[in-house]
Amino acid sequence: MPEPVDTTSADAAVEAEQPELRRRRDRRGDDSDPRTGTMPIITPNDVGNQPVAPVRSGSWAEAAAAADATQAIDGASTDSASTDTAPLPPRAALAAAPALPETAPAVPAQPARSTRSAGRAAALATPGPDFISSPGLFVREQKPRPRGGFRGALYKMTGGSLNLGPGARQREEDELARRISRQLQGSYNTAVLSLKGGIGKTSTTVGVGLTLAEYRGDPPCAIDANPDSGDLVERALGEGLYQQQSPRTITDLLKNIDSVDSLTDLARYMHHAGRLHLIAGEQDPEVSDSLTAEEYLRIRKLVSGYYSVALTDCGTGVTHNAMSGILQSADNLIIASGYAVSGAKRARSTLHWLASHGYEELARNAIVVITDKDEVSSRVDKDAIEEHLSGICRQLIAVPHDRGVADGDLVTLDVLRPETRRAYKEIAAAIVDGFV
């Protein structure tokens, strides 16, 4: 028979030879089986009864660890579904877990790439303000610089750091300049006429023409259609300068009109007072009254191909040969008048004649210009004359007495009074108003 084995001595020897096994058994604690020394087995059905440690705030690593634990629990629940008759739903264990601390930061949801692309496409497709259509949304509006007066002096003294903006007077001047300089689509003609001579018809044509040339981007053209040896070019250039130039007239242009097919060709028959281009009237008394309506219409058609604004000095009266062609091609009228009682009566008679001869629209939209050329006596009631004429026209504008106009010589804007220049601006603005 074999000899009996001493188990006590064997256990003591094993423990003496393997201290590590003893330390592991001690670390198992109270949860180990006292008989076998092993950890208890946890089945999937026991998961719902196990507390889930809350996730502490701190980092993405901890949040990822919590997500991995959730996935492992869902997998174990799925595997046990074939053996357990009543398994818990995969997310039931998470519902029983303690809530996350309120201080835990929420993990921002990252939109998918397709969602971000769709959002950018929608933003591009949606019309919105841009630098071209709405520049004011991106740039602060700058106040206009004041010119003259207290505001202008204060602006200069402070080197521009204190800008109160323009005053009421300057704003009105800027508005007149804006109206005069408006862009036009096509070519337009304004006829300047009167029934009485010597009341400012030609001086108004020159003054308004020079004003249009000063403010408009395209130069205007003035045509002298006066049958009585008109002096339009002499008033714009001065008698001496006109005699030094080649004295080509409207008659010369008519003789060669078929060969004129460019602005360069037309310039040979024109005179220039700054940016105001002029066609001189015929000075020979024997042929000055020979301009017919058809000839004027040929001149007007040629000019319309190169100039957007034209002025026609019609001379005295409304019955001479070219007048029917002038009125037929006119877009609006200036009726020249004066403060003398006879001049005011003739202006009213002119409007009545136009209205009764098929030009009612021109008469209704006419601009009556009263020039105080002869400085009438105080016995004349200027206000009564203005009221008498204003009700039968679109606008009435008064030009104050100015020696630069009354002398009948050269008309230049530099020597005119500020009030006279402003009156010419108002006339020029009213003319362009009738074109748009």
Side-chain angles (χ1 to χ4, degrees), residues 193-216:
L193 55 92
S194 67
L195 289 182
K196 182 179 183 300
I199 56 175
K201 175 183 56 60
T202 301
S203 62
T204 298
T205 305
V206 176
V208 173
L210 292 173
T211 303
L212 288 167
E214 180 180 2
Y215 289 97
R216 290 194 58 79

Side-chain angles (χ1 to χ4, degrees), residues 105 145 154 210 229 246 362 414:
R145 177 180 176 179
L154 187 61
L210 292 173
S229 301
S246 175
L362 285 175
D414 295 337

